[in-house]
Structure formats: C-alpha cells, structure tokens
Amino acid sequence: MSRNDELYDDLSRLNNELINLQRRLAKKNVELEKAHDQLERRVEERTAELRSANERLREEIAERRRIEEESRKLRDELAHLNRVELVGALTAAIAHETNQPLAAILANARAALRFLDRDTPDLREVRDALEEIVADDKRAGEVIVRVRKMVKHEEAHSEPYDLSAVIAEVLQLIRGQVALHGATITEDFVPSLPMLRGDPVQIQQVMLNLL
C-alpha cells in the first residue's frame, strides 16, 4: 500500500470518527434540551404550587384576622350589654344617689330665697346655701359621670388606676341600694397600694357582679 493510500485511510477513519462524534454530540444536545424542558416544566409546576400555597395562606391569614376582629367586636358588645344590664339592676341605687343631692339643692335654693326675702337679707346664710347647692350639684354630677363611664360603649383599654379609688366609686354608687336592703358595707383599704394597670371600668363591673 502506498503512502497516499495510508493517508487516505487515516483521513477516512478520522472523518468517520468526527461524524460519529457529531452524532453523539447532536444526541446529547437533544437529550440536554429535553432535560432542560423537563426542568423548566417542573420549575413552573413547583412555582404554581408555591403561588397557590401562598395564596391559600394569605386567605387563611385574612380569614383569621376577620374572625379575630369579629370576636373582639362581639366581646366589646357583650361587655357593653353587661354594663347596661348592671346599671339597669342598680336603677334604685342610682335614683337614690341622685335624688338626695337634687332634693338638697331644692331645699337650699328655697332657703336662699327666704333669706333674700327678709327685710334685711341674710347674705351669709344665702352664701352658705349657695355653697351647699354647689356641693350637692357636684355630688349629683359625680354619680352621673360614674354611670356614664359604666355604660359607655367603647373598646377596653389599659391604663394605670388606683384600686382603692375604683372600689370606693363602686361602693358610693351602691350605697343607697345597700341601705334599702338594711345592709352595711365596711371599708378597710390598705394604705399606699401600688398603682395597677388595666381597664378600671371592667374592674368596677366585676365588683358590681360580686356585690
């Protein structure tokens, strides 16, 4: 065999190997593209699953918040109704607490008029009567303020309060009711109690339920 023939055979063999290599590369490229397509589909499917899961989670969170808000509103409404019911049960006590200062105001006003109708008006007595009217008006106003605080429809809130003062207000409000039943309440407060934190109106509501 001549040298040229050998070179031709070598070139033919190399060409065949190159062709085979190209075919293998083409096959690998096809396989790679298929794998890439499958990976993209899996990524899209997983992304869709995650998106759906996130959407469900957002809906669950929104629903939970809605339920919590409705529950809070119901609790506030129930607390308001309880306060109104308590005040209704204390109607006699409230009437007693307000009638006393109102009757005293009327009596002092009439007395002041009599002192003024004298030939020589007794201005000192008139002043005393007017001061008593102011004090009785303040007493009646305090009763009304306490009742308004108890029936006011508002959300519970936390604030510093003096427990002794809160209890004293309740006792002042039910004093007439207690007297109507022939009972007595003895106050024995511990001095210098530390300030507490909470809703004083709710504490008063609990005290009224207990008493």
Side-chain angles (χ1 to χ4, degrees):
M1 181 180 294
S2 65
R3 181 65 178 170
N4 289 335
D5 292 336
E6 290 178 356
L7 290 174
Y8 179 78
D9 290 340
D10 291 338
L11 290 174
S12 296
R13 186 171 60 256
L14 290 174
N15 184 57
N16 291 333
E17 290 178 358
L18 181 61
I19 292 173
N20 291 332
L21 180 60
Q22 289 175 342
R23 288 175 179 174
R24 287 197 298 271
L25 287 175
K27 184 178 179 180
K28 292 296 182 181
N29 285 334
V30 171
E31 293 175 354
L32 183 61
E33 289 179 359
K34 291 175 64 176
H36 183 267
D37 292 340
Q38 291 177 354
L39 179 60
E40 283 190 343
R41 284 196 300 270
R42 285 199 295 269
V43 169
E44 291 175 357
E45 292 172 356
R46 185 57 178 164
T47 301
E49 291 174 357
L50 291 174
R51 188 179 296 113
S52 178
N54 287 335
E55 183 63 26
R56 288 195 301 271
L57 181 59
R58 283 195 294 268
E59 291 175 356
E60 290 176 0
I61 293 174
E63 180 66 12
R64 183 179 302 173
R65 288 177 178 173
R66 184 188 65 80
I67 293 174
E68 290 175 351
E69 179 66 16
E70 289 182 357
S71 178
R72 182 191 61 77
K73 289 181 179 179
L74 288 174
R75 288 196 301 269
D76 290 341
E77 186 68 22
L78 179 59
H80 173 66
L81 292 176
N82 287 337
R83 289 194 292 269
V84 173
E85 182 180 358
L86 284 171
V87 172
L90 292 172
T91 300
I94 295 170
H96 177 77
E97 287 296 312
T98 54
N99 283 339
Q100 280 188 339
L102 291 178
I105 288 173
L106 179 59
N108 284 315
R110 288 173 175 172
L113 289 175
R114 288 196 301 271
F115 292 136
L116 288 174
D117 287 339
R118 291 180 178 179
D119 293 337
T120 302
D122 191 338
L123 297 182
R124 181 176 179 179
E125 291 292 345
V126 171
R127 179 181 179 84
D128 291 342
L130 292 176
E131 288 179 350
E132 291 182 6
I133 288 174
V134 171
D136 289 326
D137 176 75
K138 183 179 179 181
R139 283 179 54 202
E142 289 173 349
V143 174
I144 294 172
V145 168
R146 286 196 294 269
V147 174
R148 282 180 176 174
K149 283 172 62 179
M150 290 184 183
V151 301
K152 190 175 182 180
H153 192 180
E154 62 179 9
E155 297 181 4
H157 63 282
S158 180
E159 64 181 48
Y161 68 89
D162 183 346
L163 181 60
S164 296
V166 169
I167 296 175
E169 285 188 6
V170 174
L171 297 180
Q172 180 70 19
L173 183 61
I174 66 172
R175 183 180 59 184
Q177 187 75 7
V178 171
L180 289 175
H181 288 82
T184 58
I185 296 179
T186 302
E187 300 177 7
D188 186 14
F189 296 123
V190 177
S192 303
L193 283 176
M195 295 290 287
L196 301 179
R197 188 169 189 85
D199 189 339
V201 174
Q202 289 187 349
I203 300 300
Q204 289 179 330
Q205 180 182 344
V206 172
M207 289 295 302
L208 287 171
N209 282 326
L210 293 174
L211 297 172

